[in-house]
């Protein structure tokens, strides 16, 4: 069974940092693109960043570029999101996803339950 | 403000049909496949439709997807109370170096 389990969320002050982790199991992690998707309380879905199988292709949402860094450790079946210079508007539940990527196609096949990040003083 | 436009809400009686529109542009829907996600209250989103009109294993054929030009549509027939959820369209956008975009979301209510 595919499992994606996020951790690392919590309360952080504006300007602070946080590192999220996503542990994957039940599939060949090294063979998939992965993403972080967030959802602010009561709001819609917002894609944050994705990374290809070997970590050499990475894309970011414009508002997090330069502040967030996505990475992966295929040996440990883990996905990460380093978040620096956090702002109140980054407050959201962050979920990792297993993705399907191809020519003209991209979608999120499996989702984790998410970890809540709250940025507040 | 979302790049993809969806109606905030749609509703119909149980057993009836609803459609949800998703309007975009040439850099996103016009050039890439569309997917749809269902988010039941308090749960993680689930893939409902991918590649415009394909259903993952386990998704009933009451759910259908289509795309024409820069717009896509999700249809739900035989509406059930268990279908009450938020529905999001999404696709890759080729502008600004490439990024993924979601629709604003549509709340489906079964009357």
């Amino acid at each position: 069974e595919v499992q994606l389990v996020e951790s690392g969320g919590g309360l952080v002050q504006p300007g602070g940092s946080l590192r999220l982790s996503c542990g994957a199991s039940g599939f060949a992690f090294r063979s998939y693109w992965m993403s972080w998707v967030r959802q602010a309380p009561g709001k819609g879905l917002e894609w944050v960043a994705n990374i290809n199988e070997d970590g050499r292709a990475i894309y970011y949402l414009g508002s997090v570029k330069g502040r967030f860094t996505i990475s992966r450790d295929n040996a440990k079946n883990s996905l990460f999101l380093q978040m620096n210079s956090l702002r109140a508007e980054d407050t959201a539940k962050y979920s990792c996803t297993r993705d399907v990527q191809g020519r003209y196609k991209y979608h999120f096949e499996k989702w984790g339950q998410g970890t809540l990040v709250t940025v507040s003083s | 403000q979302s790049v993809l436009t969806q109606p905030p809400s749609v509703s119909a009686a149980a057993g009836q049909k609803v459609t949800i529109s998703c309007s975009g542009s040439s850099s996103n829907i016009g050039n890439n496949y569309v997917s749809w996600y269902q988010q039941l209250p308090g749960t993680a989103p689930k893939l409902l439709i991918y590649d415009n009109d394909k259903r993952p294993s386990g998704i009933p054929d009451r759910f259908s997807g289509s795309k024409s030009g820069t717009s896509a549509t999700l249809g739900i027939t035989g509406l059930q109370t268990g279908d009450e959820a938020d529905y999001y369209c999404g696709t890759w956008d080729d502008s600004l170096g490439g990024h993924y975009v979601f629709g604003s979301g549509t709340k489906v209510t079964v009357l």
Side-chain angles (χ1 to χ4, degrees), chain A residues 29-51:
Chain A
F29 179 76
R30 65 179 63 244
S31 298
Y32 287 87
W33 283 69
M34 300 289 293
S35 286
W36 287 99
V37 176
R38 68 185 180 184
Q39 186 169 33
K43 302 297 183 182
L45 302 174
E46 184 175 53
W47 169 84
V48 174
N50 64 356
I51 186 169

Side-chain angles (χ1 to χ4, degrees), chain A residues 37 39 43-47 50 59 103-109 111-113, chain B residues 31-33 35 37 39 44-45 47 50-51 88 92 96-100 102:
Chain A
V37 176
Q39 186 169 33
K43 302 297 183 182
L45 302 174
E46 184 175 53
W47 169 84
N50 64 356
Y59 297 86
R103 189 169 173 81
Y104 306 119
K105 68 191 291 179
Y106 202 98
H107 57 266
F108 309 105
E109 197 175 40
W111 296 66
Q113 292 299 314
Chain B
N31 201 42
N32 295 286
Y33 289 104
S35 50
Y37 304 87
Q39 186 174 30
L47 179 64
Y50 67 97
D51 292 358
Y88 297 89
W92 191 258
L96 302 175
H99 58 289
Y100 194 89
F102 284 105

